[in-house]
Amino acid sequence: MTLRRSAALSFLALAALTVACSEAPQAPVAPEAEVTGISEALRESRDLVIRLSVPAQALEGAGPVLVRIEATNVSTRSVSVPRWFLQDGELEEALFEVTRDGRSLPYEGMHVKRPAPTAEDFLTLAPGGTMHVTVDLQTGFDLSRDGVYGIAYRGQTGIGPTARLVRSAVQPLLLAGRLPKAVEVGEVTPMAGTLTFAGRCSSTQQTQIRASITNATTYATESDGYLAAIMSGTNRYTAWFGTFSTAAQTQMKGQFANIRNAFETKPITVDCGCKKTAYAYVYPGQPYKIWVCKAFWTAPALGTDSKAGTMIHEMSHFTIVAATNDYVYGQAAALNLAATNPTNARKNADNHEYFAENTPFKN
Amino acid sequence: MRAPLRCELTLPARVTSGDPIALTLRLSNPGAESIAFLGWGTPFEGMWTGPSIDVTRDGAPQPYLGPMVKRGAPSAEEYVVIPSQGVVTAELPLHEGYDLSRPGRYQIVPRFVLHDVVRGGDVRLPRRLDAMRQEPLRCPEGLLEITPRH
């Protein structure tokens, strides 16, 4: 333990020295400077140069999108990098800024919980040294659509107060022929996404879940279309999302488009193992797994607090779908929330569900 | 004017990264009538069921990692009753709801909402979902320093 500690300490001392020699003349860092975290507000490193390359400027068809990262230490000192910023294979951090047709894509890959790093967690690049790794960009970003992508690396050297941001230039990449193909799931369903069962669902339960996903897809498609078509605050819109504005409509249209897209194209797992009295639950950061509980099985197929509506509610919770909260539960409270706090109503899961169920019917 | 519940929040001031962190809530009822509240979304439920706390590390918001639950109708057992002048406490591991693995200074800002609050003993519990009266539960903020493990 003592050895490990001293190694870590000497690394920190070295890192501090590197900063003091190569970067301090521009803007000295106060010894107590509170610069922590991974990416926000970090100063840029001029020691490490990152170059990206892809197998070809245009890639055709589905499959992995391999990006080679080459890191070169152009300074006269050793540079240390947390190893997860330069490792082969699957992404474990949001290491890239990716755009498709000019629009930024969210990172959807792993976020690994790590203990405080020790000396063994760092790679060291000698002055003039180069190393390269290759990662599959698909493990962190939704590359299922054709388009012109822009890929930039964003990592760091060091850690804590001595951390520096490392960025590459944007590497353009054209992806074509990537549209997901329809997946055969035994019987013919209108969905291209796959449905998997966990937690010992009986065959009756599997049938009910399959129907609930199909119905939820219909709900999401109808809601998405409705939100695209309205020009002002209709009864149905204002009842569940409050005062109408174009910006609010755009937000809701986007959220329901995401819900629809998730039902249509994403691999969904439904787990029947929950014995709670609740309807269902999800972990927002773990799409697309949904646990269904006791109240789900006695719920009607369609309408208020139905099986299909519950699926809309749960799908809306996922951070990469609509990132909704549970500010209130139940129709009365949801109506009241829309009237008194539209901002929260537009991020409340039950308001999404009741809008989609539209029961009793509102025009 | 009805007396609100009084809330005290207890957290360790400093913890080594990776060690468990218990958040304790102590609610007292200074009023003259009993108060029953639904434990949903509070430590009185015995598990995390939603992002009921804002956690920031050195100013950066930390995501909630626990489950989010769509509720059915409540049962009477899900209510917590505090008699007049009474006190109840509950504890929940903060690290099961939020990523606290990185060293830093964490600010813990409770945003608890009691989904149903019933004052006095005349109301039959549970109430229907549509008859519930929710109230924010105001609790003090906490600070927590997580130090590196060597």
Side-chain angles (χ1 to χ4, degrees), chain A residues 220-256:
Chain A
T221 305
E222 191 277 333
S223 299
D224 185 22
Y226 179 93
L227 286 164
I230 58 173
M231 311 291 282
S232 60
T234 58
N235 285 343
R236 179 177 170 192
Y237 179 93
T238 49
W240 301 114
F241 301 126
T243 323
F244 180 89
S245 73
T246 311
Q249 176 195 14
T250 305
Q251 178 194 338
M252 295 319 301
K253 166 85 179 71
Q255 285 172 196
F256 272 97

PDB file of all heavy atoms in Angstrom, chain A residues 220-256:
ATOM      1  N   ALA A 220     -47.400   6.221 -29.759  1.00  0.00           N
ATOM      2  CA  ALA A 220     -46.282   7.151 -29.972  1.00  0.00           C
ATOM      3  C   ALA A 220     -46.339   7.743 -31.372  1.00  0.00           C
ATOM      4  O   ALA A 220     -46.086   8.944 -31.568  1.00  0.00           O
ATOM      5  CB  ALA A 220     -44.954   6.429 -29.744  1.00  0.00           C
ATOM      6  N   THR A 221     -46.694   6.915 -32.349  1.00  0.00           N
ATOM      7  CA  THR A 221     -46.774   7.378 -33.740  1.00  0.00           C
ATOM      8  C   THR A 221     -47.895   8.406 -33.884  1.00  0.00           C
ATOM      9  O   THR A 221     -47.716   9.465 -34.502  1.00  0.00           O
ATOM     10  CB  THR A 221     -47.036   6.176 -34.676  1.00  0.00           C
ATOM     11  OG1 THR A 221     -46.021   5.206 -34.435  1.00  0.00           O
ATOM     12  CG2 THR A 221     -47.015   6.603 -36.133  1.00  0.00           C
ATOM     13  N   GLU A 222     -49.043   8.111 -33.267  1.00  0.00           N
ATOM     14  CA  GLU A 222     -50.179   9.034 -33.343  1.00  0.00           C
ATOM     15  C   GLU A 222     -49.824  10.349 -32.658  1.00  0.00           C
ATOM     16  O   GLU A 222     -50.091  11.436 -33.177  1.00  0.00           O
ATOM     17  CB  GLU A 222     -51.412   8.378 -32.703  1.00  0.00           C
ATOM     18  CG  GLU A 222     -52.720   9.116 -32.938  1.00  0.00           C
ATOM     19  CD  GLU A 222     -52.957  10.275 -31.979  1.00  0.00           C
ATOM     20  OE1 GLU A 222     -52.431  10.239 -30.837  1.00  0.00           O
ATOM     21  OE2 GLU A 222     -53.643  11.230 -32.352  1.00  0.00           O
ATOM     22  N   SER A 223     -49.201  10.270 -31.473  1.00  0.00           N
ATOM     23  CA  SER A 223     -48.841  11.473 -30.707  1.00  0.00           C
ATOM     24  C   SER A 223     -47.841  12.332 -31.480  1.00  0.00           C
ATOM     25  O   SER A 223     -47.962  13.557 -31.553  1.00  0.00           O
ATOM     26  CB  SER A 223     -48.224  11.082 -29.361  1.00  0.00           C
ATOM     27  OG  SER A 223     -49.143  10.338 -28.598  1.00  0.00           O
ATOM     28  N   ASP A 224     -46.854  11.665 -32.057  1.00  0.00           N
ATOM     29  CA  ASP A 224     -45.820  12.345 -32.834  1.00  0.00           C
ATOM     30  C   ASP A 224     -46.466  13.099 -34.004  1.00  0.00           C
ATOM     31  O   ASP A 224     -46.199  14.287 -34.228  1.00  0.00           O
ATOM     32  CB  ASP A 224     -44.835  11.265 -33.333  1.00  0.00           C
ATOM     33  CG  ASP A 224     -43.645  11.858 -34.057  1.00  0.00           C
ATOM     34  OD1 ASP A 224     -43.347  13.041 -33.827  1.00  0.00           O
ATOM     35  OD2 ASP A 224     -43.014  11.132 -34.842  1.00  0.00           O
ATOM     36  N   GLY A 225     -47.350  12.417 -34.718  1.00  0.00           N
ATOM     37  CA  GLY A 225     -48.032  13.029 -35.858  1.00  0.00           C
ATOM     38  C   GLY A 225     -48.928  14.183 -35.425  1.00  0.00           C
ATOM     39  O   GLY A 225     -48.948  15.246 -36.052  1.00  0.00           O
ATOM     40  N   TYR A 226     -49.634  13.988 -34.323  1.00  0.00           N
ATOM     41  CA  TYR A 226     -50.530  15.027 -33.807  1.00  0.00           C
ATOM     42  C   TYR A 226     -49.729  16.282 -33.461  1.00  0.00           C
ATOM     43  O   TYR A 226     -50.098  17.403 -33.818  1.00  0.00           O
ATOM     44  CB  TYR A 226     -51.250  14.489 -32.570  1.00  0.00           C
ATOM     45  CG  TYR A 226     -52.205  15.470 -31.922  1.00  0.00           C
ATOM     46  CD1 TYR A 226     -53.553  15.480 -32.257  1.00  0.00           C
ATOM     47  CD2 TYR A 226     -51.761  16.387 -30.974  1.00  0.00           C
ATOM     48  CE1 TYR A 226     -54.430  16.378 -31.667  1.00  0.00           C
ATOM     49  CE2 TYR A 226     -52.619  17.294 -30.375  1.00  0.00           C
ATOM     50  CZ  TYR A 226     -53.962  17.281 -30.721  1.00  0.00           C
ATOM     51  OH  TYR A 226     -54.819  18.167 -30.136  1.00  0.00           O
ATOM     52  N   LEU A 227     -48.603  16.100 -32.766  1.00  0.00           N
ATOM     53  CA  LEU A 227     -47.793  17.242 -32.336  1.00  0.00           C
ATOM     54  C   LEU A 227     -47.178  17.980 -33.521  1.00  0.00           C
ATOM     55  O   LEU A 227     -46.920  19.187 -33.452  1.00  0.00           O
ATOM     56  CB  LEU A 227     -46.704  16.765 -31.368  1.00  0.00           C
ATOM     57  CG  LEU A 227     -47.224  16.414 -29.967  1.00  0.00           C
ATOM     58  CD1 LEU A 227     -46.205  15.587 -29.204  1.00  0.00           C
ATOM     59  CD2 LEU A 227     -47.565  17.688 -29.200  1.00  0.00           C
ATOM     60  N   ALA A 228     -46.937  17.248 -34.606  1.00  0.00           N
ATOM     61  CA  ALA A 228     -46.374  17.896 -35.800  1.00  0.00           C
ATOM     62  C   ALA A 228     -47.433  18.730 -36.504  1.00  0.00           C
ATOM     63  O   ALA A 228     -47.110  19.728 -37.152  1.00  0.00           O
ATOM     64  CB  ALA A 228     -45.819  16.831 -36.743  1.00  0.00           C
ATOM     65  N   ALA A 229     -48.692  18.323 -36.371  1.00  0.00           N
ATOM     66  CA  ALA A 229     -49.755  18.931 -37.177  1.00  0.00           C
ATOM     67  C   ALA A 229     -50.377  20.167 -36.537  1.00  0.00           C
ATOM     68  O   ALA A 229     -50.882  21.033 -37.239  1.00  0.00           O
ATOM     69  CB  ALA A 229     -50.836  17.889 -37.458  1.00  0.00           C
ATOM     70  N   ILE A 230     -50.354  20.255 -35.188  1.00  0.00           N
ATOM     71  CA  ILE A 230     -51.108  21.351 -34.571  1.00  0.00           C
ATOM     72  C   ILE A 230     -50.395  22.691 -34.775  1.00  0.00           C
ATOM     73  O   ILE A 230     -49.172  22.759 -34.844  1.00  0.00           O
ATOM     74  CB  ILE A 230     -51.373  21.098 -33.071  1.00  0.00           C
ATOM     75  CG1 ILE A 230     -50.058  20.901 -32.306  1.00  0.00           C
ATOM     76  CG2 ILE A 230     -52.317  19.920 -32.879  1.00  0.00           C
ATOM     77  CD1 ILE A 230     -50.243  20.822 -30.801  1.00  0.00           C
ATOM     78  N   MET A 231     -51.206  23.742 -34.862  1.00  0.00           N
ATOM     79  CA  MET A 231     -50.672  25.084 -35.085  1.00  0.00           C
ATOM     80  C   MET A 231     -50.861  25.965 -33.850  1.00  0.00           C
ATOM     81  O   MET A 231     -50.371  27.083 -33.796  1.00  0.00           O
ATOM     82  CB  MET A 231     -51.381  25.759 -36.269  1.00  0.00           C
ATOM     83  CG  MET A 231     -51.471  24.893 -37.511  1.00  0.00           C
ATOM     84  SD  MET A 231     -49.851  24.643 -38.251  1.00  0.00           S
ATOM     85  CE  MET A 231     -49.645  26.209 -39.090  1.00  0.00           C
ATOM     86  N   SER A 232     -51.620  25.481 -32.900  1.00  0.00           N
ATOM     87  CA  SER A 232     -51.903  26.297 -31.710  1.00  0.00           C
ATOM     88  C   SER A 232     -52.279  25.346 -30.571  1.00  0.00           C
ATOM     89  O   SER A 232     -52.323  24.133 -30.756  1.00  0.00           O
ATOM     90  CB  SER A 232     -53.054  27.257 -31.992  1.00  0.00           C
ATOM     91  OG  SER A 232     -54.200  26.510 -32.341  1.00  0.00           O
ATOM     92  N   GLY A 233     -52.549  25.923 -29.423  1.00  0.00           N
ATOM     93  CA  GLY A 233     -52.858  25.110 -28.245  1.00  0.00           C
ATOM     94  C   GLY A 233     -54.241  24.477 -28.335  1.00  0.00           C
ATOM     95  O   GLY A 233     -55.244  25.104 -28.044  1.00  0.00           O
ATOM     96  N   THR A 234     -54.279  23.223 -28.712  1.00  0.00           N
ATOM     97  CA  THR A 234     -55.547  22.492 -28.754  1.00  0.00           C
ATOM     98  C   THR A 234     -55.941  22.092 -27.331  1.00  0.00           C
ATOM     99  O   THR A 234     -55.133  22.182 -26.402  1.00  0.00           O
ATOM    100  CB  THR A 234     -55.377  21.215 -29.583  1.00  0.00           C
ATOM    101  OG1 THR A 234     -54.337  20.444 -28.963  1.00  0.00           O
ATOM    102  CG2 THR A 234     -54.992  21.525 -31.016  1.00  0.00           C
ATOM    103  N   ASN A 235     -57.177  21.615 -27.183  1.00  0.00           N
ATOM    104  CA  ASN A 235     -57.621  21.135 -25.868  1.00  0.00           C
ATOM    105  C   ASN A 235     -56.697  20.045 -25.340  1.00  0.00           C
ATOM    106  O   ASN A 235     -56.322  20.034 -24.173  1.00  0.00           O
ATOM    107  CB  ASN A 235     -59.049  20.570 -25.955  1.00  0.00           C
ATOM    108  CG  ASN A 235     -60.070  21.689 -26.050  1.00  0.00           C
ATOM    109  OD1 ASN A 235     -59.746  22.845 -25.741  1.00  0.00           O
ATOM    110  ND2 ASN A 235     -61.270  21.356 -26.490  1.00  0.00           N
ATOM    111  N   ARG A 236     -56.394  19.117 -26.229  1.00  0.00           N
ATOM    112  CA  ARG A 236     -55.566  17.978 -25.801  1.00  0.00           C
ATOM    113  C   ARG A 236     -54.159  18.431 -25.411  1.00  0.00           C
ATOM    114  O   ARG A 236     -53.616  18.002 -24.390  1.00  0.00           O
ATOM    115  CB  ARG A 236     -55.501  16.961 -26.946  1.00  0.00           C
ATOM    116  CG  ARG A 236     -54.652  15.742 -26.642  1.00  0.00           C
ATOM    117  CD  ARG A 236     -54.713  14.773 -27.810  1.00  0.00           C
ATOM    118  NE  ARG A 236     -53.758  13.696 -27.686  1.00  0.00           N
ATOM    119  CZ  ARG A 236     -53.464  12.863 -28.677  1.00  0.00           C
ATOM    120  NH1 ARG A 236     -54.057  12.998 -29.865  1.00  0.00           N
ATOM    121  NH2 ARG A 236     -52.577  11.903 -28.503  1.00  0.00           N
ATOM    122  N   TYR A 237     -53.566  19.297 -26.216  1.00  0.00           N
ATOM    123  CA  TYR A 237     -52.209  19.756 -25.926  1.00  0.00           C
ATOM    124  C   TYR A 237     -52.164  20.503 -24.593  1.00  0.00           C
ATOM    125  O   TYR A 237     -51.353  20.202 -23.707  1.00  0.00           O
ATOM    126  CB  TYR A 237     -51.674  20.637 -27.059  1.00  0.00           C
ATOM    127  CG  TYR A 237     -50.274  21.148 -26.761  1.00  0.00           C
ATOM    128  CD1 TYR A 237     -49.150  20.455 -27.196  1.00  0.00           C
ATOM    129  CD2 TYR A 237     -50.088  22.293 -25.978  1.00  0.00           C
ATOM    130  CE1 TYR A 237     -47.880  20.891 -26.879  1.00  0.00           C
ATOM    131  CE2 TYR A 237     -48.817  22.738 -25.652  1.00  0.00           C
ATOM    132  CZ  TYR A 237     -47.718  22.026 -26.106  1.00  0.00           C
ATOM    133  OH  TYR A 237     -46.454  22.457 -25.763  1.00  0.00           O
ATOM    134  N   THR A 238     -53.043  21.510 -24.448  1.00  0.00           N
ATOM    135  CA  THR A 238     -52.949  22.356 -23.249  1.00  0.00           C
ATOM    136  C   THR A 238     -53.348  21.606 -21.986  1.00  0.00           C
ATOM    137  O   THR A 238     -52.843  21.896 -20.908  1.00  0.00           O
ATOM    138  CB  THR A 238     -53.816  23.625 -23.387  1.00  0.00           C
ATOM    139  OG1 THR A 238     -55.113  23.248 -23.828  1.00  0.00           O
ATOM    140  CG2 THR A 238     -53.220  24.592 -24.377  1.00  0.00           C
ATOM    141  N   ALA A 239     -54.241  20.614 -22.123  1.00  0.00           N
ATOM    142  CA  ALA A 239     -54.623  19.845 -20.933  1.00  0.00           C
ATOM    143  C   ALA A 239     -53.404  19.169 -20.315  1.00  0.00           C
ATOM    144  O   ALA A 239     -53.243  19.166 -19.089  1.00  0.00           O
ATOM    145  CB  ALA A 239     -55.669  18.791 -21.303  1.00  0.00           C
ATOM    146  N   TRP A 240     -52.528  18.632 -21.164  1.00  0.00           N
ATOM    147  CA  TRP A 240     -51.410  17.824 -20.624  1.00  0.00           C
ATOM    148  C   TRP A 240     -50.076  18.552 -20.609  1.00  0.00           C
ATOM    149  O   TRP A 240     -49.201  18.206 -19.816  1.00  0.00           O
ATOM    150  CB  TRP A 240     -51.292  16.504 -21.419  1.00  0.00           C
ATOM    151  CG  TRP A 240     -52.565  15.714 -21.352  1.00  0.00           C
ATOM    152  CD1 TRP A 240     -53.416  15.416 -22.374  1.00  0.00           C
ATOM    153  CD2 TRP A 240     -53.164  15.166 -20.167  1.00  0.00           C
ATOM    154  NE1 TRP A 240     -54.504  14.727 -21.919  1.00  0.00           N
ATOM    155  CE2 TRP A 240     -54.376  14.540 -20.566  1.00  0.00           C
ATOM    156  CE3 TRP A 240     -52.818  15.125 -18.812  1.00  0.00           C
ATOM    157  CZ2 TRP A 240     -55.231  13.900 -19.669  1.00  0.00           C
ATOM    158  CZ3 TRP A 240     -53.669  14.487 -17.920  1.00  0.00           C
ATOM    159  CH2 TRP A 240     -54.859  13.879 -18.352  1.00  0.00           C
ATOM    160  N   PHE A 241     -49.903  19.559 -21.473  1.00  0.00           N
ATOM    161  CA  PHE A 241     -48.605  20.241 -21.515  1.00  0.00           C
ATOM    162  C   PHE A 241     -48.702  21.742 -21.264  1.00  0.00           C
ATOM    163  O   PHE A 241     -47.707  22.454 -21.364  1.00  0.00           O
ATOM    164  CB  PHE A 241     -47.894  19.955 -22.849  1.00  0.00           C
ATOM    165  CG  PHE A 241     -47.667  18.481 -23.084  1.00  0.00           C
ATOM    166  CD1 PHE A 241     -48.092  17.854 -24.240  1.00  0.00           C
ATOM    167  CD2 PHE A 241     -47.054  17.700 -22.108  1.00  0.00           C
ATOM    168  CE1 PHE A 241     -47.896  16.489 -24.430  1.00  0.00           C
ATOM    169  CE2 PHE A 241     -46.854  16.332 -22.296  1.00  0.00           C
ATOM    170  CZ  PHE A 241     -47.280  15.721 -23.459  1.00  0.00           C
ATOM    171  N   GLY A 242     -49.878  22.243 -20.980  1.00  0.00           N
ATOM    172  CA  GLY A 242     -50.041  23.640 -20.577  1.00  0.00           C
ATOM    173  C   GLY A 242     -49.960  24.606 -21.740  1.00  0.00           C
ATOM    174  O   GLY A 242     -50.140  24.231 -22.905  1.00  0.00           O
ATOM    175  N   THR A 243     -49.639  25.860 -21.394  1.00  0.00           N
ATOM    176  CA  THR A 243     -49.617  26.940 -22.377  1.00  0.00           C
ATOM    177  C   THR A 243     -48.835  26.548 -23.623  1.00  0.00           C
ATOM    178  O   THR A 243     -47.732  26.017 -23.526  1.00  0.00           O
ATOM    179  CB  THR A 243     -48.939  28.186 -21.765  1.00  0.00           C
ATOM    180  OG1 THR A 243     -49.320  28.261 -20.405  1.00  0.00           O
ATOM    181  CG2 THR A 243     -49.335  29.442 -22.497  1.00  0.00           C
ATOM    182  N   PHE A 244     -49.405  26.849 -24.779  1.00  0.00           N
ATOM    183  CA  PHE A 244     -48.770  26.493 -26.052  1.00  0.00           C
ATOM    184  C   PHE A 244     -47.750  27.549 -26.462  1.00  0.00           C
ATOM    185  O   PHE A 244     -47.986  28.747 -26.319  1.00  0.00           O
ATOM    186  CB  PHE A 244     -49.845  26.375 -27.133  1.00  0.00           C
ATOM    187  CG  PHE A 244     -49.311  26.015 -28.486  1.00  0.00           C
ATOM    188  CD1 PHE A 244     -49.170  24.683 -28.855  1.00  0.00           C
ATOM    189  CD2 PHE A 244     -48.928  26.997 -29.394  1.00  0.00           C
ATOM    190  CE1 PHE A 244     -48.676  24.338 -30.105  1.00  0.00           C
ATOM    191  CE2 PHE A 244     -48.428  26.658 -30.643  1.00  0.00           C
ATOM    192  CZ  PHE A 244     -48.308  25.333 -31.000  1.00  0.00           C
ATOM    193  N   SER A 245     -46.622  27.104 -26.951  1.00  0.00           N
ATOM    194  CA  SER A 245     -45.685  27.978 -27.664  1.00  0.00           C
ATOM    195  C   SER A 245     -45.003  27.114 -28.709  1.00  0.00           C
ATOM    196  O   SER A 245     -44.985  25.882 -28.585  1.00  0.00           O
ATOM    197  CB  SER A 245     -44.647  28.593 -26.724  1.00  0.00           C
ATOM    198  OG  SER A 245     -43.716  27.607 -26.332  1.00  0.00           O
ATOM    199  N   THR A 246     -44.445  27.739 -29.714  1.00  0.00           N
ATOM    200  CA  THR A 246     -43.780  26.958 -30.769  1.00  0.00           C
ATOM    201  C   THR A 246     -42.591  26.190 -30.192  1.00  0.00           C
ATOM    202  O   THR A 246     -42.348  25.040 -30.540  1.00  0.00           O
ATOM    203  CB  THR A 246     -43.301  27.898 -31.894  1.00  0.00           C
ATOM    204  OG1 THR A 246     -44.391  28.745 -32.230  1.00  0.00           O
ATOM    205  CG2 THR A 246     -42.894  27.112 -33.117  1.00  0.00           C
ATOM    206  N   ALA A 247     -41.879  26.839 -29.271  1.00  0.00           N
ATOM    207  CA  ALA A 247     -40.711  26.169 -28.674  1.00  0.00           C
ATOM    208  C   ALA A 247     -41.149  24.941 -27.879  1.00  0.00           C
ATOM    209  O   ALA A 247     -40.520  23.880 -27.952  1.00  0.00           O
ATOM    210  CB  ALA A 247     -39.960  27.141 -27.775  1.00  0.00           C
ATOM    211  N   ALA A 248     -42.239  25.088 -27.118  1.00  0.00           N
ATOM    212  CA  ALA A 248     -42.726  23.959 -26.312  1.00  0.00           C
ATOM    213  C   ALA A 248     -43.217  22.833 -27.221  1.00  0.00           C
ATOM    214  O   ALA A 248     -42.966  21.653 -26.961  1.00  0.00           O
ATOM    215  CB  ALA A 248     -43.845  24.436 -25.388  1.00  0.00           C
ATOM    216  N   GLN A 249     -43.901  23.209 -28.299  1.00  0.00           N
ATOM    217  CA  GLN A 249     -44.386  22.207 -29.249  1.00  0.00           C
ATOM    218  C   GLN A 249     -43.206  21.439 -29.857  1.00  0.00           C
ATOM    219  O   GLN A 249     -43.239  20.213 -29.983  1.00  0.00           O
ATOM    220  CB  GLN A 249     -45.180  22.903 -30.366  1.00  0.00           C
ATOM    221  CG  GLN A 249     -45.648  21.949 -31.461  1.00  0.00           C
ATOM    222  CD  GLN A 249     -46.100  22.697 -32.713  1.00  0.00           C
ATOM    223  OE1 GLN A 249     -45.841  23.884 -32.875  1.00  0.00           O
ATOM    224  NE2 GLN A 249     -46.801  21.991 -33.584  1.00  0.00           N
ATOM    225  N   THR A 250     -42.148  22.172 -30.217  1.00  0.00           N
ATOM    226  CA  THR A 250     -40.953  21.536 -30.783  1.00  0.00           C
ATOM    227  C   THR A 250     -40.334  20.556 -29.791  1.00  0.00           C
ATOM    228  O   THR A 250     -39.928  19.454 -30.158  1.00  0.00           O
ATOM    229  CB  THR A 250     -39.924  22.626 -31.168  1.00  0.00           C
ATOM    230  OG1 THR A 250     -40.562  23.545 -32.041  1.00  0.00           O
ATOM    231  CG2 THR A 250     -38.718  22.014 -31.845  1.00  0.00           C
ATOM    232  N   GLN A 251     -40.288  20.984 -28.533  1.00  0.00           N
ATOM    233  CA  GLN A 251     -39.755  20.087 -27.489  1.00  0.00           C
ATOM    234  C   GLN A 251     -40.565  18.796 -27.419  1.00  0.00           C
ATOM    235  O   GLN A 251     -40.012  17.689 -27.419  1.00  0.00           O
ATOM    236  CB  GLN A 251     -39.782  20.797 -26.131  1.00  0.00           C
ATOM    237  CG  GLN A 251     -39.281  19.912 -24.989  1.00  0.00           C
ATOM    238  CD  GLN A 251     -39.629  20.478 -23.611  1.00  0.00           C
ATOM    239  OE1 GLN A 251     -39.863  21.664 -23.453  1.00  0.00           O
ATOM    240  NE2 GLN A 251     -39.666  19.611 -22.617  1.00  0.00           N
ATOM    241  N   MET A 252     -41.898  18.935 -27.376  1.00  0.00           N
ATOM    242  CA  MET A 252     -42.750  17.757 -27.214  1.00  0.00           C
ATOM    243  C   MET A 252     -42.715  16.872 -28.454  1.00  0.00           C
ATOM    244  O   MET A 252     -42.710  15.653 -28.365  1.00  0.00           O
ATOM    245  CB  MET A 252     -44.202  18.173 -26.908  1.00  0.00           C
ATOM    246  CG  MET A 252     -44.384  18.897 -25.582  1.00  0.00           C
ATOM    247  SD  MET A 252     -43.410  18.206 -24.228  1.00  0.00           S
ATOM    248  CE  MET A 252     -44.008  16.532 -24.187  1.00  0.00           C
ATOM    249  N   LYS A 253     -42.668  17.513 -29.614  1.00  0.00           N
ATOM    250  CA  LYS A 253     -42.560  16.754 -30.866  1.00  0.00           C
ATOM    251  C   LYS A 253     -41.270  15.929 -30.848  1.00  0.00           C
ATOM    252  O   LYS A 253     -41.267  14.746 -31.202  1.00  0.00           O
ATOM    253  CB  LYS A 253     -42.570  17.740 -32.036  1.00  0.00           C
ATOM    254  CG  LYS A 253     -42.145  17.188 -33.371  1.00  0.00           C
ATOM    255  CD  LYS A 253     -43.295  16.532 -34.106  1.00  0.00           C
ATOM    256  CE  LYS A 253     -42.866  16.001 -35.481  1.00  0.00           C
ATOM    257  NZ  LYS A 253     -42.011  14.835 -35.431  1.00  0.00           N
ATOM    258  N   GLY A 254     -40.178  16.544 -30.398  1.00  0.00           N
ATOM    259  CA  GLY A 254     -38.893  15.846 -30.328  1.00  0.00           C
ATOM    260  C   GLY A 254     -38.944  14.677 -29.358  1.00  0.00           C
ATOM    261  O   GLY A 254     -38.441  13.586 -29.644  1.00  0.00           O
ATOM    262  N   GLN A 255     -39.575  14.897 -28.205  1.00  0.00           N
ATOM    263  CA  GLN A 255     -39.633  13.831 -27.194  1.00  0.00           C
ATOM    264  C   GLN A 255     -40.462  12.640 -27.700  1.00  0.00           C
ATOM    265  O   GLN A 255     -40.077  11.488 -27.515  1.00  0.00           O
ATOM    266  CB  GLN A 255     -40.180  14.390 -25.877  1.00  0.00           C
ATOM    267  CG  GLN A 255     -39.123  15.243 -25.167  1.00  0.00           C
ATOM    268  CD  GLN A 255     -39.581  16.011 -23.942  1.00  0.00           C
ATOM    269  OE1 GLN A 255     -38.901  16.923 -23.502  1.00  0.00           O
ATOM    270  NE2 GLN A 255     -40.716  15.656 -23.373  1.00  0.00           N
ATOM    271  N   PHE A 256     -41.591  12.927 -28.349  1.00  0.00           N
ATOM    272  CA  PHE A 256     -42.404  11.819 -28.850  1.00  0.00           C
ATOM    273  C   PHE A 256     -41.766  11.150 -30.075  1.00  0.00           C
ATOM    274  O   PHE A 256     -41.925   9.949 -30.277  1.00  0.00           O
ATOM    275  CB  PHE A 256     -43.845  12.266 -29.121  1.00  0.00           C
ATOM    276  CG  PHE A 256     -44.709  12.140 -27.905  1.00  0.00           C
ATOM    277  CD1 PHE A 256     -44.948  13.230 -27.088  1.00  0.00           C
ATOM    278  CD2 PHE A 256     -45.234  10.908 -27.538  1.00  0.00           C
ATOM    279  CE1 PHE A 256     -45.713  13.107 -25.927  1.00  0.00           C
ATOM    280  CE2 PHE A 256     -46.002  10.776 -26.382  1.00  0.00           C
ATOM    281  CZ  PHE A 256     -46.244  11.876 -25.576  1.00  0.00           C
TER     282      PHE A 256
END
